Amino acid sequence: MEKQERMEYLVELLNKYSYHYYTLDDPLIDDKEYDVLYDELVNLEKELGKILPDSPTNRIGGEILSGFEKHNHLNTLYSLGKAQSKEEVRSWVNKNEEFVRNYNKTHEEKLPELEFCVELKFDGLTINLTYDNGYLSMATTRGNGVIGEVITNQIKTIQSIPLKIEDKRLIEIQGEGLMPLSSLEKYNQTHEVKLKNARNAAAGAIRNLDPAVTKSRNLDAYFYNVNYLEDSELENQAQMIKFLKENHFKVHSYEKTAKSYEEIEKLIDEIFVLRNQIDILTDGVVIKINDFRTREILGYTNKFPRWAIAYKFEPERFTTVVKEVEWNVGRSGKVTPTAILEPVEIGNVTVKRATLNNIDDIERKQVKINSEVFVRRSNDVIPEIMGVVDPNQENTKEIEIPHNCPYCHSELFRNGVHIFCPNSMSCVPQLVKRMVHFASRNAMNIDGLSEKTLELLLDKLNIKSIEEIYDVTKDKLMSLEGFKEKKSQNLINAISKSKDVDLANFIFALGIPEIGEKTSFELAQKYKSFDKFRNAKLEDLIEIEDIGEIMAKEIVEFFNDETISQSIDSLLSKGINIKNPQEIDKKLDGKTFVLTGSLINYSRKELTDILSNLGAKVSSSVSKKTDYVVYGEKAGSKLDKAKELGIELLTEEELNKFLKDL
Ligand code: AMP
Ligand code: ZN
């Protein structure tokens, strides 16, 4: 009995020492003392012929496995939505702010003011731990989010992970297994085969059938989520972090909150620099809404929580030099700085230009001419300058902020962090860009009216406003360089054809600030006629889901502007025939649709609404009565069944075309 008690005592004592050493980084005793106690425990366990479940001797890993078992997670482990640029973070924040505002207008029980938690995005392997009755009962990988692989023995070799915790409930927690850079370095000093990358080294170690390999890599783990907690009392992220800490899980000390996009942006930049100074790999920043009730109401898409977003950094950092700064005028007159760079290769693309966003950005990041800067590029977005390598760099020159429009020389004005050219009437680049938008596919859809052609029309035919596009004649076109008979006729035909336009496309074509394609569609559905929309009241607009105060104000101001109003009248006088949604409403009457798989551009609800508005029925199961099956990625049995029954199948792209052609 005495020996049993001594064994229990030693387990508890050694676990306490480990916790202080590995999790708190604050050792209580030196390694030698620890080893003596550890050896004593090993001998006692041999003598008594038993090992307690939370004994540190369990951390050696055990036998080589023949394969990984599967495990169903108690709750889906979601991936994260990604922001490719800060603008996307900003619009995510805006969207959530509008959501909360709208929600609070219509609900008694208000949501709290939004607060965001900003943390590191750990770059390792996601691990999921189950604790039952206080003991670590299972560890798994994320797998596909629903089913993971069992890696309990591998995970037990990670010293900072508690084998036993205070709370006795059924718990699943999520974190990231990582190989600290210092572990990687040490490992490489003593091993023939060198590990190149800490992320792959960690993932390879955890998903290794031999736990001894896992152990040899000295991994660590940080936790950021309670994925399941029986009778949970947790109301927000802050409480959740506290819960994790109280149960001795390792939580990273970088855990900050922000109340606005501007505050978030500062933290992103802070982490961008910090990530070079810490012992673990981070590949970005994760931003989460603090309040759990808000999270619940926002919910999830097929793959992601709507209440969190990841802003990812490029794996490698690229630096180059700013040679000069060019100022460009956009569609709305906004004048934005673009840095002209010493060309640099990033992911097989030569980057020569990068956006500097606005004046505020230039000042905050302390970018100057000749500055050596970090550049970030990700798919489909304009490269961005993230910061300067050395704010005290010599031989740099301040970037001059223009006072006059680089094109029309009008005096610029400042609004918030942006500067604008007020000359919306005759500032050529503004006009060209507005016309490009006007002619684009989802607006008036004028085939052949490219930016180059428009520049030509403005220059040679002296066109000064959008509506004058409809006055262009074939003869005039044929006087232009490169325009022969056929090409001219085609363009004239396209211009003429565009006069028949759906209300939604017409609304989009107007280029009202903040109003995109989807919103245009919703507005058309709601107002059903251009006149009604044009005269909509602010109070009325705000009532529409997805339209917040900002958008509503933009719409009202847009139509209140005398010049805009006149030019719309003049445009309408060219014989524009706007087709109201009623006319196409019943186009899908009596048709039954089934949606399956994950769609990219719509949520299920959005698409259901669109189809229902067209008179279609959206059903959840495929039968002989089904007319169309719209399928996205990972479509399962419904797709198979539809194929079997010979039902017409549509991809998302085909559906878009189908709807357009109605
Ligand atoms: P990705 O693997 O790039 O799709 O990013 C999503 C993954 O990031 C999640 O499944 C998590 O495993 C991981 N991750 C790393 N750090 C965090 C964090 N602080 N919060 C949430 N997820 C994180
Ligand atoms: Zn101008």
Side-chain angles (χ1 to χ4, degrees), residues 31-44:
D31 295 4
K32 269 203 206 100
E33 286 174 79
Y34 182 93
D35 291 344
V36 170
L37 294 168
Y38 186 91
D39 289 343
E40 186 190 345
L41 175 64
V42 171
N43 287 330
L44 265 175

Side-chain angles (χ1 to χ4, degrees), residues 138 170 182 184 193 234 238 282 298 332 375 387 465 494 563 606 614 646:
M138 186 175 300
L170 182 59
S182 55
L184 185 87
V193 184
L234 305 176
T282 49
L298 278 166
S332 63
V375 185
S465 63
T563 325
E606 279 160 16
L614 290 166

Side-chain angles (χ1 to χ4, degrees), residues 185-199:
E185 201 176 309
K186 251 186 236 149
Y187 181 97
N188 282 343
Q189 278 164 11
T190 51
H191 289 75
E192 272 292 309
V193 184
K194 309 280 183 234
L195 300 170
K196 286 202 194 80
N197 163 306
R199 199 204 81 87

